[in-house]
């Protein structure tokens, strides 16, 4: 409730099961979840705190308060119960806007002492919005998250390593809540698994397993004023959505033939992914990708070698970041590690061996799923200048010295040598490619070059358009749109 009270009711009569409601939260209750055996109840409130209650059938009061813990510093977006792989013991986790996944130690917790077992930051820049356990459609056990960058992410249920990143549905807003539709014997869902989800105002259905294919999902407008919650029936036949200001609950019957037909019409294999490349299979982008891919083969064998070349259909994983950047996608080091781990461990459960190479088809899927859903944008860069800098005319600027210090001290910071090489290359004083192309770099004159060519007040416009070259990308997009009209 808004008051922070927790009532536990009989499901049929809706009478209270406890004499007095539990009132430990000081703000509105946002989540209430029962464990698989109905022996535990967890609630989250708007003050970023999780509370746990335990069933006590042998006592006068059927439920007792266990404890509370404020393990997040931003709003809790999801609370889920699961089961440990080697037992039937319940497993409790919460996920917050602070990008932190918290697992609680129910076994060792005692009265007024709810313990945290583990706390992990699972996102670098995106904000997670919801979470659910992934059904057993693969040999590896996962839990699934959706974030505000229209991405689904699969994490190993034991190690919490990010194992896969996938393009999610792009229907106006990212998924706000996800739930796996139950599969029961004798119905049309028995041999396939599906997932229901809601966006800001829509309800959708997704075919599993996830692969980034845009034709395997669909949505319908559910509540024009907004959807607040979602639930599926235990027989897998119905989905229920709750509205906001319209104060209504809608009951939807699940019928999958239309979605399956849409997926078939969209094509099999790589066909759906070709459609997500600018120009498709016959476009310039795909031709460039092929050239970069085969050049990466030359790089891996040595550009200047005189030995006979080995023609192959794959490239080493070490070349993946360079080809990604040549395609206009600039992942962070953490994102690079996620991509490499995704490929490296893709067949480990089945074969016990690492994958050390990737072919062109798998690379296209990796590129589509990991790149930004809406392409390059300078919005985040401008936001960073607004946050770290100061107003300068109609723009925002950062002092040159402060900018160099930030790049060497904050986030995935660079060394002084790396910053000197990259900045002078961007300013046009080094050969393109630099050390990545085995070109020797002389740092002796970089200080003078930066001081003479980089303004004292570096504005967001100058940094994005003149140094990073985003203006060229904007011009290409504008010219393409003009040609199409």
């Amino acid at each position: 409730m808004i008051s922070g009270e927790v009532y536990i009711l009989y499901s049929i009569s809706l009478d209270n099961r406890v004499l007095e409601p539990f009132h430990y939260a000081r703000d509105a209750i946002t989540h209430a979840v029962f464990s698989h055996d109905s022996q535990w109840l967890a609630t989250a409130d708007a003050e970023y705190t999780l509370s746990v209650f335990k069933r006590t059938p042998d006592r006068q009061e059927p439920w007792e308060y266990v404890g509370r813990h404020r393990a997040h510093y931003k709003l809790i977006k999801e609370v889920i119960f699961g089961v440990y792989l080697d037992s039937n013991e319940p497993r409790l986790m919460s996920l917050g806007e602070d990008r932190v996944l918290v697992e609680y130690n129910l076994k060792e917790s005692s009265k007024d002492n709810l313990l945290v077992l583990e706390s992990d930051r699972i996102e670098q820049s995106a904000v997670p919005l919801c979470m659910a356990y992934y059904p057993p459609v693969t040999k590896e056990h996962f839990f699934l998250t959706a974030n505000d960058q229209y991405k689904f992410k699969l994490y190993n249920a034991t190690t919490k390593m990010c194992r896969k990143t996938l393009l999610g549905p792009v229907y106006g807003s990212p998924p706000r809540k996800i739930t796996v539709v139950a599969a029961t014997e004798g119905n049309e869902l028995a041999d396939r698994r599906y997932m229901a989800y809601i966006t800001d105002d829509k309800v959708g259905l997704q075919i599993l397993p996830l692969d980034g294919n845009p034709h395997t999902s669909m949505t319908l407008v559910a509540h024009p004023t907004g959807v607040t919650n979602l639930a599926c029936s235990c027989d897998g036949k119905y989905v229920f959505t709750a509205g906001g200001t319209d104060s209504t609950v809608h009951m939807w019957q699940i019928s999958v033939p239309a979605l399956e037909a849409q997926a078939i019409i969209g094509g099999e294999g790589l066909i759906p992914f070709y459609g997500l490349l600018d120009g498709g299979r016959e476009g310039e982008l795909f031709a460039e990708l092929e050239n970069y891919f085969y050049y990466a083969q030359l790089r891996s064998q040595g550009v200047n070698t005189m030995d006979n070349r080995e023609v192959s259909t794959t490239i080493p994983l070490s070349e993946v970041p360079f080809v990604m950047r040549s395609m206009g996608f600039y992942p962070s080091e953490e994102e690079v590690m996620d991509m490499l781990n995704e490929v490296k461990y893709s067949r480990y459960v089945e074969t016990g061996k690492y994958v050390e190479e990737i072919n062109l088809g798998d690379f296209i899927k990796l590129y589509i799923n990991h790149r930004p859903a809406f392409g390059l944008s300078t919005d985040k860069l401008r936001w960073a200048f607004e946050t770290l800098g100061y107003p300068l005319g109609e723009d925002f600027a950062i002092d040159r010295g402060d900018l160099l210090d930030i790049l060497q001290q904050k986030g995935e910071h660079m060394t002084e040598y790396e910053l000197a090489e990259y900045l002078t290359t961007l300013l046009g004083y080094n050969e393109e490619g630099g050390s990545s192309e085995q070109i020797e770099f002389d740092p002796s004159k970089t200080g003078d070059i930066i001081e003479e060519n980089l303004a004292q007040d570096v504005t967001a416009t100058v940094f994005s358009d003149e140094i990073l070259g985003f203006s060229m990308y904007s011009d290409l997009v504008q010219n393409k749109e003009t040609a199409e009209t």
Side-chain angles (χ1 to χ4, degrees):
M1 298 184 66
I2 296 178
S3 63
E5 293 177 311
V6 176
Y7 291 83
I8 301 178
L9 311 176
Y10 287 99
S11 60
I12 303 299
S13 65
L14 298 183
D15 293 331
N16 287 327
R17 293 205 63 183
V18 292
L19 297 178
E20 295 290 336
F22 296 108
H23 195 180
Y24 294 92
R26 293 177 295 180
D27 209 329
I29 301 296
T30 58
H31 298 78
V33 183
F34 285 93
S35 62
H36 71 289
D37 55 4
S38 300
Q39 299 300 306
W40 298 83
L41 167 66
T43 64
D45 59 58
E47 281 202 331
Y48 327 140
T49 306
L50 185 129
S51 304
V52 172
F53 307 87
K54 186 177 182 181
R55 190 179 178 191
T56 54
D58 298 332
R59 300 183 183 179
Q60 181 179 1
E61 286 290 340
W63 288 85
E64 70 173 4
Y65 166 75
V66 176
R68 290 162 51 79
H69 201 116
R70 184 171 178 171
H72 297 275
Y73 63 89
K74 287 188 177 181
L75 190 66
I76 295 175
K77 300 299 292 184
E78 191 70 80
V79 178
I80 62 171
F81 271 105
V83 179
Y84 286 103
L85 299 180
D86 55 351
S87 70
N88 198 40
E89 293 295 321
R91 182 185 189 186
L92 176 61
M93 294 188 290
S94 63
L95 181 64
E97 279 187 356
D98 52 7
R99 306 179 178 90
V100 174
L101 175 68
V102 178
E103 182 174 352
Y104 300 87
N105 190 347
L106 296 179
K107 187 176 182 179
E108 301 295 332
S109 296
S110 57
K111 181 70 173 179
D112 294 324
N113 186 29
L114 177 61
L115 301 177
V116 169
L117 181 64
E118 202 170 50
S119 181
D120 300 279
R121 185 182 175 98
I122 64 170
E123 290 279 8
Q124 185 179 35
S125 60
V127 177
L129 301 176
C130 52
M131 176 173 61
Y133 273 97
Y134 201 58
V137 294
T138 60
K139 292 184 178 180
E140 193 172 353
H141 296 275
F142 298 111
F143 59 85
L144 172 69
T145 67
N147 63 38
D148 65 343
Q149 295 180 359
Y150 295 86
K151 302 292 184 181
F152 286 130
K153 287 193 174 184
L154 291 174
Y155 295 86
N156 182 279
T158 302
T159 64
K160 299 185 179 71
M161 174 191 288
C162 181
R163 289 284 291 101
K164 207 161 192 178
T165 300
L166 302 137
L167 179 64
V170 184
Y171 296 108
S173 64
R176 302 292 181 181
K177 187 173 181 62
I178 53 179
T179 182
V180 175
V181 177
T184 55
E185 294 295 332
N187 71 5
E188 60 182 343
L189 305 181
D191 59 342
R192 293 290 297 268
R193 299 306 301 269
Y194 299 84
M195 180 179 70
Y197 62 91
I198 55 174
T199 64
D200 285 347
D201 60 351
K202 299 177 181 68
V203 60
L205 194 65
Q206 170 77 51
I207 298 175
L208 300 178
L210 298 168
D211 61 359
N213 182 350
H215 303 294
T216 57
S217 67
M218 55 75 62
T219 60
L220 294 171
V221 175
H223 302 263
T225 58
V227 188
T228 58
N229 213 337
L230 167 76
C232 291
S233 62
C234 59
D235 60 2
K237 295 181 179 179
Y238 302 97
V239 171
F240 301 86
T241 58
T245 56
D246 58 5
S247 303
T248 60
V249 173
H250 288 169
M251 176 178 175
W252 307 82
Q253 184 175 2
I254 297 176
S255 178
V256 300
L259 179 58
E260 292 287 354
Q262 172 184 299
I264 293 173
I265 293 172
E268 298 180 348
L270 288 172
I271 294 176
F273 297 93
Y274 289 145
L276 296 175
L277 293 173
D278 191 14
R281 175 66 176 80
E282 307 301 326
E284 293 182 7
L285 185 63
F286 181 82
E288 286 185 10
L289 174 57
E290 283 188 312
N291 290 335
Y292 293 141
F293 195 82
Y294 294 122
Y295 177 64
Q297 290 186 13
L298 298 179
R299 274 174 43 92
S300 65
Q301 297 176 31
V303 175
N304 298 321
T305 183
M306 299 300 292
D307 297 335
N308 292 333
R309 301 288 183 179
E310 294 182 7
V311 180
S312 173
T313 59
T314 62
I315 60 173
L317 291 187
S318 58
E319 294 295 317
V320 167
F322 299 104
V323 182
M324 287 287 180
R325 291 170 184 136
S326 68
M327 294 292 292
F329 168 40
Y330 306 100
S332 66
E333 293 302 314
E334 182 173 320
E335 290 170 332
V336 168
M337 188 60 64
D338 286 344
M339 286 190 291
L340 299 183
N341 286 337
E342 179 175 325
V343 180
K344 184 178 180 180
Y345 295 100
S346 58
R347 300 191 186 98
Y348 187 78
V349 175
E350 292 85 358
T351 66
K353 298 179 180 179
Y354 298 129
V355 177
E356 302 292 348
E357 297 180 328
I358 186 171
N359 60 38
L360 182 58
D362 289 338
F363 181 88
I364 290 173
K365 292 182 180 180
L366 193 70
Y367 169 70
I368 293 294
N369 283 319
H370 280 264
R371 70 176 182 177
F374 301 105
L376 282 174
S377 173
T378 59
D379 292 342
K380 286 190 176 181
L381 182 63
R382 295 185 184 280
W383 170 80
F385 270 76
E386 290 179 14
T387 304
L388 300 172
Y390 45 85
L392 185 66
E394 298 181 355
D395 207 343
F396 285 82
I398 300 177
D399 179 78
R400 180 178 62 202
D402 293 339
L403 177 62
L404 299 179
D405 288 339
I406 290 171
L407 293 175
Q408 294 178 81
Q409 297 174 7
K410 303 296 184 181
E412 293 182 347
H413 54 272
M414 293 178 277
T415 65
E416 184 177 359
Y417 183 89
E418 290 172 336
L419 179 60
E421 179 190 355
Y422 300 158
L423 199 51
T424 52
T425 301
L426 289 169
L427 290 171
Y429 285 87
N430 295 329
E431 293 186 52
E432 292 186 9
S435 58
S436 66
E437 294 291 342
Q438 301 177 354
I439 298 172
E440 294 186 4
F441 168 65
D442 179 13
S444 60
K445 298 181 180 180
T446 55
D448 294 334
I449 293 174
I450 293 174
E451 187 173 349
E452 292 173 3
N453 294 275
L454 191 62
Q456 185 65 40
D457 298 314
V458 183
T459 64
T461 301
V462 168
F463 193 78
S464 63
D465 293 353
E466 298 182 14
I467 298 177
L468 298 182
F470 280 177
S471 60
M472 294 186 293
Y473 174 81
S474 302
D475 292 340
L476 288 173
V477 173
Q478 186 176 2
N479 292 338
K480 179 188 174 185
E481 292 175 349
T482 303
E484 290 177 348
T485 55

